[in-house]
Amino acid sequence: MLVAAAVCPCPPLLVPEVAAGAAPELDALRAACLDAVAVLAAARPDRLVVVGPAAAPGPHPQGAAGSFRGFGVDVDVRLGRGERAGERVLPQSLAVGAWLLGRTSWSTAPVEGLGVAEPLDTARCLETGRELAAGAGRVAVLAMGDGSACRTLKAPGYLDERAAAFDAGAARALGSADTTALAALDAELARELKAAGRSSWQVLAGAAEGAGLTGELLYDDAPYGVGYFVASWS
């Protein structure tokens, strides 16, 4: 049973060492993410699943390692506590999630990761979420993923006039824990707008079906032309 969820974006710039001199620009976003993770801890789940987009999808056990060395900084992370486990390196989205958990000294429950292919169709995303929620005990989900990358001329995907409306709809759905609206997000439009969080959000929608959770939107902005949302469900 899903008892709580948090939604956070996953840009490496959340890690201050990666952002370097620009780090203060995302202080409000970092604070919102940490607040959302704190709500997860308050729910006292039996396990936490960190879900995020990945080029190579699949599960990652507690102790799986990730790194931001590819961005020129000496920062390594591990999913949850304990010895290093698994041979696969955490994808960027889950590495950012692991960094957030490390910042809060997460010790509430065991942690596992799930990389989800960005092009995964909606039906499969929803079914994956249902399977997560059907697992033993009280489950919490930390869903990592960004909105569109087309909000401004200087955005990674350049300006697309459809991006603002797509992000507004996603923000409303995430802020109100509206699983129906999340399930209705257009996967093809999300791909065109480079909204990498769509798959994670729809996995969360499947996990939250019938859970009766309420949502709160903690952050909604588009620094650097990319939609970033933070939401807490409890």
Side-chain angles (χ1 to χ4, degrees), residues 9-40:
C10 52
L13 290 174
L14 268 180
V15 180
E17 292 87 344
V18 175
E25 297 176 11
L26 295 182
D27 280 348
L29 174 58
R30 291 187 193 94
C33 289
L34 296 177
D35 287 345
V37 172
V39 174
L40 293 180

Side-chain angles (χ1 to χ4, degrees), residues 128-176:
T128 298
R130 295 177 189 121
E131 292 169 358
L132 287 181
R138 295 162 54 84
V139 181
V141 168
L142 172 55
M144 309 295 298
D146 303 341
S148 75
C150 303
R151 292 278 292 274
T152 66
L153 291 173
K154 294 184 178 180
Y158 195 65
L159 176 64
D160 190 311
E161 299 294 346
R162 303 170 296 173
F166 176 89
D167 282 351
R172 283 193 301 271
L174 293 169
S176 59

Side-chain angles (χ1 to χ4, degrees), residues 148-150 157-158 160 162-163 186-195:
S148 75
C150 303
Y158 195 65
D160 190 311
R162 303 170 296 173
D186 187 324
E188 179 59 24
L189 177 58
R191 185 191 65 78
E192 293 174 2
L193 297 176
K194 305 184 186 303

